[in-house]
Amino acid sequence: MPFLGKDWRSPGWTWTKTEHGWKRIVLCGEDLEDNNREMDLKELCSDNKENLYVGDVCELATTKRKKDFYNNNTKSQFVFRDKWIYVQKGSTKERHGYCTLGEALNRLDFSSAIQDLRRFNYVAKLFQLIARSQLTSLSGAAQKNYFNILEKIVRKVLEDHYNPRLVKELLQDLSTTLNSLTVHVGRCVLVGNVNIWLCRLETIVKWQQQLNNLQIPKQMCNGMSFSDLPLHMQNKILYKLSDAYDIINLGQATPTLHILSENRTLWKKLCHFHFSDKQFCRNLVLTKSDNVDWKLMYFTLQKHYPMKEQYGDTLHFCKHCSILFWQDCGHPCTANNPDSCLMPISPQHFIDLFKF
């Protein structure tokens, strides 16, 4: 049940029904204790009318001091209990306004999603697309949340050594965009002080250096290793990989894996997985013996066409409720068959949902 708060720009307070009546849900950061209070408001705001105005001023000053303290020290934005968001593109009788990309970034709990390996690549790819074209469309709070989550992504890669190549590409695209905005386009398109953005650029450079110097330690295992598996099982594992760079890197481990990674049938299957037959006909690559070089064909097609994306878990969109959510968190759906209304959302589709 929404009620308007003090700030008319905010979506309002959130209330819940209890045995004693309606009670307001307090978000994270609203109850911060300020230990630097210099005056006791109860003494100032007494029955004495002369102190009434002083008490109001002190209350406003204390509220502002709490807000500044929270904004300067917090590492995350508001904590929302609901992990879904209603995607609204126009005004109706019931709802006015629209949903922005920044609101979705704050509401969908990407900070916890990166801790799940099924969602890590999905979130990293989404952040890469935002860095390329949508960074200036984010609000100041959303940009702050974006860089806080990005810091957690880099920290996870440094600690767990998980997919550093994808995060390197993300940081490179982000660095290119920020350099273009601060030098060529102009600083007026950036929200906030320019010194903040210069500090963020320095932080990105530091992250890039840390990832470039990342050394993955060799794991000591006394049991069976990948090389001890039979050849047909190693070959079957290679056929399950959908990323060409993973196949190439795995082929550099041992001479046997190098032979398996150069198999023409493997690269042919990879080409058919990512590209269509029409695309083959337009970019046919033949060897001297008139045979198709499938490995070269793959990298040629990669330059002209987008590849099929695969993720362990993605955001889902309910076509009945127009709600975007993580599937394991659920959402309040009123459809008779909710599963039939669900649609997985790719990172690019997520960006397109908030283009007006």
Side-chain angles (χ1 to χ4, degrees), residues 201-236:
L201 267 173
E202 293 177 358
T203 304
I204 292 172
V205 173
K206 183 182 69 175
W207 288 341
Q208 289 177 319
Q209 293 175 351
Q210 291 176 348
L211 291 177
N212 291 331
N213 298 330
L214 180 63
Q215 297 291 334
I216 301 178
K218 184 178 180 180
Q219 296 182 357
M220 303 302 296
C221 182
N222 298 326
M224 180 178 292
S225 63
F226 185 82
S227 302
D228 297 331
L229 295 175
L231 290 180
H232 71 278
M233 294 185 66
Q234 297 183 26
N235 195 36
K236 191 172 183 179

Side-chain angles (χ1 to χ4, degrees), residues 159-208:
E159 294 175 354
D160 300 342
H161 311 127
Y162 183 75
N163 206 347
R165 178 169 55 85
L166 178 59
V167 181
K168 287 180 181 179
E169 295 175 358
L170 164 59
L171 294 179
Q172 182 60 41
D173 290 339
L174 182 58
S175 177
T176 303
T177 300
L178 290 183
N179 282 320
S180 176
L181 292 175
T182 55
V183 177
H184 302 290
V185 178
R187 299 172 180 176
C188 60
V189 298
L190 299 174
V191 179
N193 193 298
V194 66
N195 293 325
I196 296 177
W197 290 100
L198 294 178
C199 291
R200 287 171 175 172
L201 267 173
E202 293 177 358
T203 304
I204 292 172
V205 173
K206 183 182 69 175
W207 288 341
Q208 289 177 319

Side-chain angles (χ1 to χ4, degrees), residues 25-38:
I25 299 176
V26 180
L27 299 177
C28 177
E30 293 185 5
D31 281 346
L32 289 176
E33 293 295 332
D34 189 1
N35 297 324
N36 298 324
R37 297 181 63 179
E38 300 176 356

Side-chain angles (χ1 to χ4, degrees), residues 71-320:
N71 290 335
N72 293 331
N73 292 278
T74 185
K75 277 293 182 182
S76 62
Q77 298 302 316
F78 295 113
V79 179
F80 294 94
R81 189 170 63 175
D82 297 327
K83 307 302 181 184
W84 51 267
I85 187 169
Y86 177 79
V87 181
Q88 183 177 355
K89 292 191 174 182
S91 297
T92 62
K93 292 181 179 180
E94 294 80 12
R95 292 176 179 265
H96 293 278
Y98 55 90
C99 179
T100 63
L101 179 63
E103 292 179 65
L105 194 66
N106 293 334
R107 289 288 298 272
L108 290 174
D109 196 19
F110 288 102
S111 182
S112 300
I114 61 174
Q115 304 302 327
D116 191 340
L117 291 181
R118 300 173 303 164
R119 301 173 180 173
F120 182 86
N121 292 345
Y122 180 85
V123 177
K125 183 64 177 178
L126 176 60
F127 272 49
Q128 185 179 15
L129 294 178
I130 294 176
R132 289 176 180 175
S133 60
Q134 301 296 320
L135 192 62
T136 56
S137 66
L138 300 179
S139 63
Q143 288 177 358
K144 183 178 179 181
N145 193 27
Y146 177 90
F147 281 94
N148 289 337
I149 298 174
L150 183 60
E151 180 183 357
K152 295 181 180 180
I153 291 176
V154 175
R155 191 185 307 124
K156 183 174 180 61
V157 174
L158 294 175
E159 294 175 354
D160 300 342
H161 311 127
Y162 183 75
N163 206 347
R165 178 169 55 85
L166 178 59
V167 181
K168 287 180 181 179
E169 295 175 358
L170 164 59
L171 294 179
Q172 182 60 41
D173 290 339
L174 182 58
S175 177
T176 303
T177 300
L178 290 183
N179 282 320
S180 176
L181 292 175
T182 55
V183 177
H184 302 290
V185 178
R187 299 172 180 176
C188 60
V189 298
L190 299 174
V191 179
N193 193 298
V194 66
N195 293 325
I196 296 177
W197 290 100
L198 294 178
C199 291
R200 287 171 175 172
L201 267 173
E202 293 177 358
T203 304
I204 292 172
V205 173
K206 183 182 69 175
W207 288 341
Q208 289 177 319
Q209 293 175 351
Q210 291 176 348
L211 291 177
N212 291 331
N213 298 330
L214 180 63
Q215 297 291 334
I216 301 178
K218 184 178 180 180
Q219 296 182 357
M220 303 302 296
C221 182
N222 298 326
M224 180 178 292
S225 63
F226 185 82
S227 302
D228 297 331
L229 295 175
L231 290 180
H232 71 278
M233 294 185 66
Q234 297 183 26
N235 195 36
K236 191 172 183 179
I237 294 174
L238 280 171
Y239 273 78
K240 296 294 183 180
L241 300 178
S242 60
D243 192 335
Y245 294 100
D246 290 339
I247 296 176
I248 294 175
N249 292 333
L250 188 58
Q252 295 174 354
T254 62
T256 303
L257 288 173
H258 177 71
I259 297 174
L260 295 177
S261 65
E262 295 295 328
N263 190 353
R264 292 181 66 254
T265 307
L266 172 65
W267 288 97
K268 180 180 179 180
K269 185 176 180 180
L270 193 65
C271 287
H272 282 287
F273 175 79
H274 286 287
F275 309 105
S276 62
D277 294 336
K278 293 182 179 179
Q279 296 169 347
F280 291 148
C281 299
R282 297 175 183 175
N283 301 272
L284 197 61
V285 179
L286 301 177
T287 61
K288 294 181 179 179
S289 57
D290 292 337
N291 294 323
V292 179
D293 189 341
W294 290 106
K295 184 177 181 180
L296 186 59
M297 169 80 79
Y298 173 86
F299 289 103
T300 302
L301 294 172
Q302 186 186 26
K303 297 177 182 178
H304 298 89
Y305 306 103
M307 295 186 300
K308 185 183 296 183
E309 298 177 351
Q310 257 191 339
Y311 301 103
D313 190 15
T314 65
L315 285 167
H316 283 70
F317 182 75
C318 180
K319 294 179 285 186
H320 177 77

Side-chain angles (χ1 to χ4, degrees), residues 31-47:
D31 281 346
L32 289 176
E33 293 295 332
D34 189 1
N35 297 324
N36 298 324
R37 297 181 63 179
E38 300 176 356
M39 290 180 280
D40 190 358
L41 293 181
K42 292 183 179 179
E43 296 179 0
L44 291 174
C45 300
S46 60
D47 295 335

